[in-house]
Amino acid sequence: LLLFTGNSLASTLLVLGDSLSAGYGINPDNGWVNLLRADLEPDYQIINASISGDTTGNGLARLPLLLEKFKPTYVLLELGGNDGLRGHPLSRVKANLQAMIDLCREQNAQPILFAMRLPPNYGKRYTDTFAELFPTLAKQQNLPIVPFQFEELVVTKGMIQQDGIHPTELAQPTIKQAVLIELKKLLK
């Protein structure tokens, strides 16, 4: 992988996500995607195409235009949480993620999955099956994955907003660091 800096084109990382990547409830400048810029630019241009509330279906509908417009080298798919919170059939979530993976590959962009988890109040069977969907799909498709490793945020005071779901500004560096560790394995 050749990296160009200065006036030449840098590789592009497109983040297609939901409120976690959009910085819901916080100043988006302090969100993990923006913090990632300091670590990766100028070698990587980061495009944040995340929208709070987005589902895999919304992401799938928006992805073709984003691929055409930005011609990304990598696409981080941080979607699925809202599908799960709405109780969408997991077969639909998987099909939408698969379609996005296929679209990325057709445009020579490397898809990267961002694993999601749901709060336990959705029932053990649904939450366990939902959590397994991401690593299983990544393995089947031979994709890199950012594992969900944010359980400590939920139990650490000041890391989760009043809604009990969205991370605070204090949590953003932790999320950024976890994503960066996985991306650095890939972006060599």
Side-chain angles (χ1 to χ4, degrees), residues 48-102:
N48 192 355
S50 302
I51 297 176
S52 291
D54 243 6
T55 61
T56 57
N58 298 134
L60 178 57
R62 294 189 309 116
L63 184 57
L65 185 61
L66 292 167
L67 289 169
E68 185 181 318
K69 182 176 180 180
F70 297 110
K71 302 194 181 347
T73 316
Y74 303 95
V75 179
L76 180 58
L77 299 170
E78 185 273 305
L79 288 167
N82 288 311
D83 298 74
L85 292 173
R86 295 173 189 166
H88 289 180
L90 297 182
S91 58
R92 183 190 328 159
V93 178
K94 183 178 180 184
N96 287 341
L97 288 169
Q98 182 62 62
M100 286 187 275
I101 291 164
D102 294 342

Side-chain angles (χ1 to χ4, degrees), residues 106-169:
E106 287 167 15
Q107 297 298 318
N108 297 313
Q110 169 66 59
I112 306 163
L113 275 183
F114 192 115
M116 294 279 131
R117 291 242 176 101
L118 294 174
N121 59 313
Y122 281 78
K124 183 165 175 47
R125 194 173 90 215
Y126 187 78
T127 57
D128 287 354
T129 307
F130 180 88
E132 269 308 302
L133 186 152
F134 296 89
T136 301
L137 185 59
K139 188 173 183 178
Q140 289 170 349
Q141 293 298 313
N142 194 25
L143 287 181
I145 186 167
V146 175
F148 189 91
Q149 48 199 348
F150 307 112
E151 288 86 355
E152 75 278 0
L153 295 180
V154 177
V155 296
T156 305
K157 186 175 167 67
M159 294 293 192
I160 299 295
Q161 296 178 38
Q162 292 292 335
D163 64 11
I165 294 175
H166 296 98
T168 62
E169 264 185 43

